[in-house]
Amino acid sequence: MEGPGAGTATSDNDNNEEATSGRREGHVDLVQLPSNSLRVGQVLTFSLRDAAGHLLFAAGHPLPDTPQVRELLARGPWVQAHETREYQRALAHKLDTMMLQGASLSALANAKAEYKPTRPMPLPAATGPAHTAIWADLQWHAQQVLRDPHRPDFLLRLAQLLDTVLSRLTQQPDASLAMLVHDAGQEPLQYSARHALLSLVLAEMTTRQLGWSEGRRRTLGLAALTMNLDSAAQQDQHALRPEALAQAQREQLAGHGDRAAATLQGIGVDDEAWLAAVRLHHDAGPGPLAGRADGELMARLLRRIDVYGARLSPRRNRRALSAAQAARAVYLDELQQPDEAGAALIKAIGLYPPGSLVRLANGEEGMVLKRGHSASEPLVAALIGRSGSPLTVPVLRDTRLPAQAISASLAPHEVRLRVHMDAMLKLY
């Protein structure tokens, strides 16, 4: 991390004391599953841990049939409370009820399920950093794949890109989201590739929240990668223009969903839901998700994801918005009513997603590391102290505590600090 006064004598003793107390206070809640509630061969929808919080098996992988695994299942493994199906069902039910009652975004963000974990446990030690180089390579890979849809092996390369990104996301969901959200708010270079990767990850996390099957999630993921297929070069150029788009340029971009769908169909894509999601991702209007054809339903979700990601990204002629501002843009629909698709996205990633920047009630500023039990209570790493000087080391803050609660969502230009993500990812 670099910034005014970083590593100088301006970091006083109370910062070091705060670092110690922050690590002591940081914790997650673990819940022990009933014995034999899982079976060997089952594909996990949450990670399994031991009683100390150490990761045993990551979500998305099947449980192998070994004596050790059978002993673990008989004993009852531990899971993070917010990953359990019971908690997610309770929270989703409460949020859905609030939406039907026209609740405000702030009320939705602060909602909690009526569910109590067994006991708090210390924050588990990091099992190893995710490397920024991996995501830089994926971004380069995405740019190379998407720039040439007429290559004979395009669909194969596209599927490989999708599988690689989803594998990385399954291994480290919060760290992956943090990388992409942070990266989106930086320089507007290679905008289309960055936006495609972020849209894919947001689509996957939202549809997991909604309980979609793997096949339907995959279709929407392919649509997220290819929705701007024929306009990527133009969008990259426009992101670097110092002035707003002229009317002629807007007209040139209009209908890019139709052109992308036509290109996909021309190279052999015959999945109607994929094609419809791409074609309609700017045209699927507001209203309930129920009752829509699958392609239109996917298009509506993709539209809100597209808007959210665009708000997080800067252009030469405008700055990136804060995560809360981006959330407000998708929580209310075109008629200024609570939007079901936008709310599903916010439920999945939180009002302050990993990688976004915040100010705390105690005056500190930092980056969100992990999603929390509610949309407005994530785990935060404080980076700048109350005095405005960078802390010597990041300090974990539990935003459920009043003194460490989030008081504001910050845009990248509002934080006078360059964040080194390699250092941040070591905290996972």
Side-chain angles (χ1 to χ4, degrees), residues 265 270-277 279 295:
Q265 196 165 19
D270 57 4
D271 186 321
E272 290 298 328
W274 178 359
L275 295 172
R279 185 173 60 252

Side-chain angles (χ1 to χ4, degrees), residues 403-427:
Q404 300 175 15
I406 293 175
S407 62
S409 179
L410 301 175
H413 67 272
E414 295 179 288
V415 176
R416 297 180 58 194
L417 186 76
R418 178 178 297 172
V419 179
H420 287 287
M421 288 302 292
D422 272 326
M424 296 301 296
L425 293 174
K426 291 178 181 178
L427 300 174

Side-chain angles (χ1 to χ4, degrees), residues 165-230:
V165 173
L166 294 185
S167 174
R168 191 69 192 171
L169 177 64
T170 298
Q171 293 172 36
Q172 293 187 307
D174 286 300
S176 299
L177 185 57
M179 271 298 310
L180 293 173
V181 168
H182 172 264
D183 192 53
Q186 305 309 303
E187 288 295 314
L189 298 172
Q190 299 180 344
Y191 166 78
S192 58
R194 294 184 184 198
H195 188 64
L197 289 182
L198 177 59
S199 297
L200 166 58
V201 166
L202 294 178
E204 177 69 12
M205 297 181 85
T206 301
T207 49
R208 284 183 185 180
Q209 167 73 28
L210 292 171
W212 284 23
S213 67
E214 182 180 355
R216 293 180 75 211
R217 297 201 314 267
R218 188 176 184 85
T219 297
L220 183 58
L222 291 167
L225 285 175
T226 57
M227 62 180 170
N228 297 323
L229 194 59
D230 275 13

